[in-house]
Amino acid sequence: MIVLGVDPGSRATGYGLIEKKGGTLGCIAAGEVKWSSEVPFFERVHGIYRKMVEIMRRFEPQEMAIEDVFFSKNAKSSLKLGHARGAVLVAGVECGLRIFEYSPLEIKKAVAGFGGAGKEQVQSMVKCHLRQDSISSLDASDALAVAICHLNWVRYEYEAGRVSRT
Amino acid sequence: MIVLGVDPGSRATGYGLIEKKGGTLGCIAAGEVKWSSEVPFFERVHGIYRKMVEIMRRFEPQEMAIEDVFFSKNAKSSLKLGHARGAVLVAGVECGLRIFEYSPLEIKKAVAGFGGAGKEQVQSMVKCHLRQDSISSLDASDALAVAICHLNWVRYEYEAGRVSRT
């Protein structure tokens, strides 16, 4: 099974694809979508959608795990984040993926073992989980962390005989 | 020229299509996209995108006018509004429309003459502009108001010899 993890953000949207073969997790691809602030806002939003659709068609993941909403106190940031998240969700449904959402706390606990882990700690643990050293972007490692969190949940749910989270 | 006006909202997204023939404005279609809260959030966001694409393909507007961001103090509402707005913008760029944004103040001034007009006053004036009595939804009349605002701006800009707002 291939899972696409996404960490949408108002400045950059991280993505990471993980394939599970038996008990082993392998990173297929990871990166971030980032645009110059000179590009009109609506084109940047569409760019996130286009990039997501491109990734989904190329790697054909069956499921998408996305970071759940972090309620910032800043309404302006929330609004921008909403645009990015909306573009990602539209792409996911459009490409027929099953969508799962996880809170930042769930993700950090799943990857680093505790909810207070910083971005660097998460990245370090993601590298250990995937046995891969070449993940440089923090947005990409955050996205891979969401995918790992989902795959942990899937394993747990399958073991418990439950398969639907939505 | 056919203009699609959109008023995205966290609960309902209004839309309205206006055709300008000579000096006359005619309403082609108007309505709102609304979903039961029982439908998963990501499906509602995709539903806005799907409906917008359907309208754009059916009526083939060349330009889209969308209400600019109203900075609510509530981060949760802003986030939901962002998702809806993101879905509308993705649809607009995907269908090749030129996109224009107007603030609530600009829209109210253009339609009702003053920035403090309420939703009912805006609806009443929209009915006058379009000589049509059958607009019942306030979200639809708000969307038509955005399209009227844009058509006013286009007329003004053409008269002044300027044609690009973006």
Side-chain angles (χ1 to χ4, degrees), chain B residues 87-148:
Chain B
V88 172
L89 291 176
V90 166
V93 179
E94 198 66 9
C95 291
L97 274 70
R98 293 213 307 151
I99 296 170
F100 300 83
E101 296 175 293
Y102 297 90
S103 72
L105 192 71
E106 284 177 297
I107 297 161
K108 287 175 183 176
K109 273 189 180 171
V111 175
F114 69 111
K119 272 184 171 276
E120 286 76 10
Q121 282 171 297
V122 167
Q123 183 173 70
S124 168
M125 289 307 296
V126 164
K127 286 179 180 177
C128 288
H129 279 283
L130 302 175
R131 279 167 291 180
Q132 185 158 341
D133 253 347
S134 61
I135 308 154
S136 58
S137 147
L138 288 171
D139 292 306
S141 57
D142 271 356
L144 288 165
V146 191
I148 292 170

Side-chain angles (χ1 to χ4, degrees), chain A residues 71-134:
Chain A
F71 286 117
S72 154
K73 283 181 185 169
N74 185 330
K76 197 172 173 179
S77 303
S78 293
L79 190 82
K80 282 192 178 176
L81 172 61
H83 281 78
R85 230 176 156 269
V88 172
L89 291 177
V90 166
V93 180
E94 197 66 8
C95 292
L97 273 69
R98 294 211 308 150
I99 296 170
F100 300 82
E101 295 174 294
Y102 297 90
S103 71
L105 192 70
E106 285 177 297
I107 298 161
K108 287 175 183 175
K109 274 189 179 172
V111 175
F114 70 111
K119 272 182 171 279
E120 285 77 10
Q121 282 171 297
V122 167
Q123 183 173 67
S124 167
M125 290 307 295
V126 164
K127 286 179 180 176
C128 287
H129 280 282
L130 302 176
R131 279 166 291 178
Q132 185 157 343
D133 252 348
S134 61

